[in-house]
Amino acid sequence: MPHTEPPTTATPLDDSELHALDAHWRAANYLAAGQIYLLANPLLREPLLPGHIKPRLLGHWGTCPGLNLVHTHLNRLIRQRGTDTVCVWGPGHGGPAVLANSWLEGSYTETYPDVTRDEAGMARLFRQFSFPGGVPSHVAPETPGSIHEGGELGYSLAHAYGAALDNPGLLVACVIGDGEAETGPLATAWHSTKFLDPVHDGAVLPILHLNGYKIANPTVLARIPEPELDALLRGYGHDPLYVTGDDPLTMHRAMAAALDTAVDRITAFQQAARHNGETHRPHWPMIVLRTPKGWTGPAEVDGLPVEGTWRAHQVPLNQVRENPAHLAQLEAWLRSYRPEELFDAHGRPTEQVLSRVPEGARRLGTNPHANGGLLTRELPLPALEEYAVPVDKPGATLHEPTRVLGELLAQVMADTAERRDFRLVGPDETASNRLQAVYAATGKAWQAEVLPTDEHLARDGRVMEILSEHTCQGWLEGYLLTGRHGLFSCYEAFVHIVDSMVNQHIKWLRTSRALSWRAPIPSLTYLLTSHVWRQDHNGFSHQDPGFVDHVLSKSPEVVRVYFPPDTNTLLATADHVLRSRDYVNVVVAGKQPCFDWLTLEEAREHCARGAGIWSWAGTDDASREPDVVLACAGDVPTLEVLAAAGLLRQHLPEVAVRVVNVVDLARLMPTEDHPHGMPDFEFDALFTRDKPVIFAYHGYPWLIHRLAYRRTVHPHLHVRGYKESGTTTTPFDMVVRNDLDRYRLVMDVIDRTPGLAVRAAALRQQMADQRTRHHAWIRAHGTDLPEVADWTWQG
């Protein structure tokens, strides 16, 4: 359908508004530079001396003037139109700019009353920046109005779209640095235009800030010809507006007009979709802002060009305490903003500076969407009894755990249909991961072309699928940070793609948990399925259980890892994690048919304990200590341990075997290392102090050793797990190849239990022969041994 140009209500700035905007922008520039340099004398009431300068000069000046321009003009837009707006600052290293604007609008003082909006508060603002005991240099959780740290570049646009989803009245501005625009995650996030529903979602206004340079090199998008850049952005589905220059007053006029035009177009698209039933995908506006790097800063330093070059990226004058010429140049730079016009005798911003600043919750620093926990509602989770599978006795029936979970998630989707605050994201794997029951309640979000052969696509769908784990993660993070709920379903091997992203989110949560004004947000929960032990059909490339190792090395107060061994424990785990706040939860569960071990009530109790003895599976009792402990974590390891326990019950009934299942992996850690950790006395009671422990683990064996290395029993702990031996083969061959199979576990018991090596030598030989027979059988028949494929629990 041809694109029609919506009308615009943009009007030129009059002189009063123009100079007010310029005063605010100059004030923000002054405050940004002051944070980088000044330890004292914040308003230059006396000549600048070396003692007024910080001993360590840290921060990034180059992007600040552009960010200040955006903030100044978003203020005007909000005040003039009452637009509900948040901003994602992609160049998060431009922290001085966002802090400066927060202080000017008053949100910083409201959050931190000791940083008053006067000369004394300005001095504190300056001193604390990148100073021991102060605040970080990035737009961190400590920054009012922020939902994006920007330390690692590439995630801003996906965060912005996540914030806009199901927020129909919200405008999310997103400043994208031209260095950030070179990253893979950012490049894929442009495609979010094909998923944004103009009826039920808000709008994202990307502002691509081209200042030409990264730390030491030019940026790609700033150097390609403008027609090529324009074609690229239009190909992504945007209708760009260009604001280019270095004359401040000209740029104010151009920026105001561009923002007015962009918002007029957004409003027209939304009204056409919401009131006129328009269904064609809009070409959403965006702004390309081209300003010099380090704009208004020193033009040259020591005879070398600075403004408009890579030298302006961080600290343009870096020898101010030692070099009198640099000190004089800094003072001239700061005085060029004319601070005496911008702040009164008490150091407060003047009426002119604040005349275009919004009030109350409309300010960018106080908008509740940027403190999403304030808006969070409890997720309506159905009673688990409606979905639990019946278990008359352990191991008699099989179910696909994630398929059953999908039925529960479908009900959650149905129950949130009106409030629209739950989303399921994943890289093209919802049905593959057996969660397709959700399609009875909602479709897959899609705004591009639909063909008759397509299934489950819907403009208002709340399942989000794109074959980019980065974009899925970014969408969900933005959604959670603005107070809504969600779940990320992914193949286990490929969730590693977002290792860095989850790092950043964990750091964000750890910091925000210590801030009393940050309300807790719904947890980021991963469902990892299609896992290492049942990727036998795809082979070695799809076999990697190491994400858990990565996550458990992070902040213990934030991370949680669960290995539900069957359907009912998955339901109980899901109920827990979807209710939780301020965590990163990793749930690893299979999608293939799995034996049902526990009733729902037993599953709830087991999940509450996190680890426990399955007395029905072992042969130890209260009258004697176990001779050996068979421990397991994960669905396939649990199956192999129970099969091994059955063999021991049959062939060595005199050996007292204890079976311990671990569902919460952090329970293995000491209490001082993790909030879920066990005290030593409890761990010793469960695993013993000196008996052999054969532990069958889902992932890499060394993780269990790392978690338990300080336990008394650790010298007797022997872990079997994935040891990077994979291929396209049968399911049981995967465990045999990695020495996790039932026969090897029985051999380990014989080898490590005192007195068994000689007495059970014949049984050990029989187990070894079974492994040999297995290898011959699968090569002849292409399937697993009948006694393995048809095995059931006989205990």
Side-chain angles (χ1 to χ4, degrees):
M1 183 173 180
H3 170 68
T4 57
E5 190 78 7
T8 180
T9 59
T11 56
L13 298 177
D14 61 34
D15 287 348
S16 174
E17 187 169 30
L18 175 65
H19 290 294
L21 293 170
D22 187 60
H24 183 279
W25 179 62
R26 285 188 287 122
N29 286 340
Y30 179 84
L31 294 170
Q35 288 174 78
I36 294 173
Y37 284 99
L38 296 184
L39 191 63
N41 192 18
L43 283 169
L44 304 182
R45 296 194 188 278
E46 57 182 291
L48 202 56
L49 300 173
H52 298 149
I53 307 301
K54 292 181 176 182
R56 299 172 67 240
L57 299 180
L58 303 169
H60 296 74
W61 163 251
T63 190
C64 285
L67 298 187
N68 287 332
L69 186 76
V70 172
H71 205 300
T72 295
H73 283 266
L74 287 176
N75 282 345
R76 169 188 174 271
L77 180 77
I78 296 166
R79 186 177 181 96
Q80 179 174 298
R81 302 188 182 220
T83 309
D84 196 11
T85 305
V86 296
C87 188
V88 174
W89 306 97
H93 53 271
V98 184
L99 291 168
N101 283 280
S102 177
W103 187 85
L104 284 173
E105 71 181 17
S107 62
Y108 201 86
T109 299
E110 291 171 19
T111 306
Y112 304 103
D114 61 318
V115 186
T116 49
R117 199 159 48 154
D118 55 20
E119 184 172 3
M122 187 188 299
R124 291 191 183 93
L125 180 76
F126 288 0
R127 181 185 182 89
Q128 71 180 13
F129 178 79
S130 287
F131 201 81
V135 301
S137 63
H138 282 67
V139 184
E142 295 94 335
T143 309
S146 173
I147 63 168
H148 176 85
E149 209 269 358
E152 183 172 352
L153 300 177
Y155 313 143
S156 60
L157 194 56
H159 282 164
Y161 277 97
L165 296 172
D166 295 323
N167 265 329
L170 187 66
L171 173 66
V172 185
C174 180
V175 183
I176 302 160
D178 47 358
E180 180 178 28
E182 297 176 4
T183 65
L186 196 288
T188 310
W190 288 113
H191 290 301
S192 300
T193 54
K194 290 80 172 177
F195 299 87
L196 193 74
D197 176 16
V199 175
H200 297 95
D201 301 333
V204 174
L205 178 61
I207 302 172
L208 177 60
H209 186 205
L210 301 180
N211 62 26
Y213 293 90
K214 305 184 283 287
I215 294 176
N217 284 289
T219 57
V220 172
L221 295 189
R223 288 291 181 92
I224 63 176
E226 192 161 288
E228 186 177 341
L229 174 65
D230 190 75
L232 175 70
L233 299 175
R234 291 184 185 279
Y236 278 133
H238 281 288
D239 189 3
L241 300 163
Y242 292 87
V243 178
T244 302
D246 60 3
D247 176 68
L249 299 186
T250 301
M251 290 294 283
H252 285 305
R253 292 188 179 95
M255 191 65 181
L259 273 175
D260 282 341
T261 301
V263 173
D264 285 339
R265 292 179 182 177
I266 287 169
T267 302
F269 289 141
Q270 291 176 335
Q271 289 179 347
R274 295 172 186 179
H275 306 300
N276 304 332
E278 182 61 72
T279 58
H280 81 279
R281 176 167 58 90
H283 278 208
W284 297 98
M286 66 170 292
I287 293 173
V288 179
L289 174 63
R290 195 184 294 265
T291 65
K293 187 98 170 176
W295 189 20
T296 71
E300 290 187 357
V301 176
D302 297 333
L304 296 174
V306 174
E307 183 186 20
T309 78
W310 53 270
R311 294 186 181 91
H313 182 75
Q314 291 178 296
V315 180
L317 295 158
N318 56 18
Q319 299 176 18
V320 183
R321 288 171 67 98
E322 304 84 15
N323 187 327
H326 281 203
L327 181 66
Q329 197 170 2
L330 172 63
E331 182 167 3
W333 169 22
L334 293 175
R335 292 191 184 280
S336 73
Y337 297 117
R338 307 192 297 279
E340 66 279 2
E341 299 176 6
L342 308 174
F343 306 98
D344 67 15
H346 301 285
R348 296 186 294 248
T350 65
E351 182 178 343
Q352 183 188 40
V353 168
L354 300 182
S355 63
R356 297 303 182 270
V357 172
E359 297 178 350
R362 291 296 189 199
R363 292 170 295 172
L364 290 177
T366 55
N367 191 299
H369 293 285
N371 189 2
L374 298 174
L375 304 175
T376 298
R377 292 180 286 179
E378 292 295 324
L379 192 63
L381 291 170
L384 296 185
E385 287 77 6
E386 300 175 26
Y387 304 93
V389 300
V391 181
D392 296 328
K393 61 178 183 177
T397 56
L398 299 99
H399 285 85
E400 298 171 5
T402 58
R403 188 182 297 276
V404 177
L405 176 64
E407 296 169 1
L408 182 145
L409 295 177
Q411 188 60 51
V412 176
M413 283 290 191
D415 291 342
T416 55
E418 294 300 319
R419 46 189 270 183
R420 295 183 67 91
D421 61 350
F422 180 78
R423 295 244 175 178
L424 176 64
V425 305
D428 192 36
E429 295 161 1
T430 303
S432 174
N433 290 336
R434 309 288 198 270
L435 301 175
Q436 63 266 40
V438 296
Y439 296 143
T442 186
K444 293 180 279 190
W446 188 253
Q447 302 295 319
E449 183 182 8
V450 178
L451 300 178
T453 53
D454 292 327
E455 292 183 341
H456 308 305
L457 300 182
R459 296 188 182 278
D460 62 349
R462 285 182 291 136
V463 176
M464 308 286 292
E465 290 193 340
I466 185 173
L467 201 53
S468 165
E469 287 82 359
H470 288 120
T471 302
C472 290
Q473 172 96 7
W475 284 342
L476 184 56
E477 286 182 357
Y479 200 70
L480 300 173
L481 287 161
T482 47
R484 283 76 60 73
H485 306 262
L487 178 70
F488 187 170
S489 167
C490 187
Y491 281 14
E492 181 185 50
F494 302 132
V495 74
H496 274 297
I497 293 170
V498 300
D499 278 359
S500 290
M501 294 188 77
V502 72
N503 286 354
Q504 298 297 316
H505 192 71
I506 290 169
K507 293 174 189 295
W508 178 281
L509 290 177
R510 181 184 180 185
T511 302
S512 65
R513 286 164 65 95
L515 301 172
S516 60
W517 59 273
R518 284 270 181 197
I521 62 169
S523 298
L524 168 59
T525 296
Y526 297 93
L527 173 65
L528 304 186
T529 186
S530 299
H531 61 56
V532 58
W533 302 110
R534 294 309 303 269
Q535 274 293 344
D536 41 86
H537 58 300
N538 276 322
F540 198 28
S541 65
H542 284 53
Q543 295 161 352
D544 188 330
F547 187 70
V548 166
D549 303 56
H550 176 69
V551 168
L552 274 181
S553 67
K554 306 303 173 185
S555 304
E557 61 268 48
V558 175
V559 297
R560 305 288 185 267
V561 173
Y562 302 100
F563 285 96
D566 70 352
T567 296
N568 285 335
T569 48
L570 176 59
L571 291 175
T573 301
D575 183 79
H576 169 71
V577 297
L578 291 174
R579 295 181 191 276
S580 67
R581 299 286 185 273
D582 277 352
Y583 295 136
V584 169
N585 300 306
V586 181
V587 181
V588 184
K591 68 181 183 182
Q592 302 294 346
C594 173
F595 281 108
D596 305 314
W597 306 114
L598 304 179
T599 67
L600 178 60
E601 187 58 32
E602 290 168 339
R604 282 174 165 153
E605 293 171 354
H606 186 47
C607 289
R609 288 190 301 266
I613 299 169
W614 284 6
S615 56
W616 51 267
T619 55
D620 66 325
D621 55 44
S623 65
R624 57 175 179 164
E625 286 190 355
D627 296 312
V628 64
V629 176
L630 282 178
C632 48
D635 52 5
V636 169
T638 297
L639 169 62
E640 294 306 308
V641 157
L642 290 178
L647 289 168
L648 292 168
R649 180 191 297 264
Q650 176 184 354
H651 296 286
L652 295 173
E654 71 280 10
V655 176
V657 178
R658 173 178 291 179
V659 173
V660 174
N661 182 266
V662 179
V663 64
D664 179 352
L665 206 59
R667 293 288 284 152
L668 300 177
M669 302 172 72
T671 51
E672 58 267 29
D673 291 347
H674 195 283
H676 284 197
M678 280 191 228
D680 284 337
F681 74 87
E682 186 178 348
F683 191 94
D684 293 345
L686 193 61
F687 292 97
T688 77
R689 293 174 61 86
D690 56 3
K691 303 300 181 185
V693 178
I694 313 301
F695 201 124
Y697 172 55
H698 173 91
Y700 294 108
W702 45 83
L703 177 61
I704 302 301
H705 284 291
R706 179 168 71 82
L707 300 182
Y709 81 98
R710 289 191 303 194
R711 302 296 191 177
T712 305
V713 79
H714 186 258
H716 308 284
L717 175 64
H718 180 63
V719 186
R720 293 291 186 180
Y722 183 66
K723 55 183 187 181
E724 206 67 18
S725 179
T727 186
T728 302
T729 186
T730 68
F732 188 65
D733 190 52
M734 272 298 297
V735 293
V736 174
R737 292 174 66 92
N738 289 276
D739 291 323
L740 185 68
D741 61 281
R742 59 200 68 179
Y743 306 125
R744 171 58 73 181
L745 296 176
V746 170
M747 294 164 66
D748 285 336
V749 169
I750 295 170
D751 293 344
R752 294 175 181 275
T753 304
L756 282 186
V758 175
R759 181 157 52 93
L763 177 60
R764 190 188 192 286
Q765 179 175 301
Q766 181 183 342
M767 296 296 100
D769 290 346
Q770 278 291 86
R771 286 166 55 88
T772 303
R773 179 168 170 258
H774 153 79
H775 288 298
W777 180 275
I778 63 169
R779 282 157 179 76
H781 300 276
T783 60
D784 285 322
L785 290 163
E787 58 263 47
V788 171
D790 302 331
W791 181 90
T792 58
W793 172 250
Q794 299 297 322

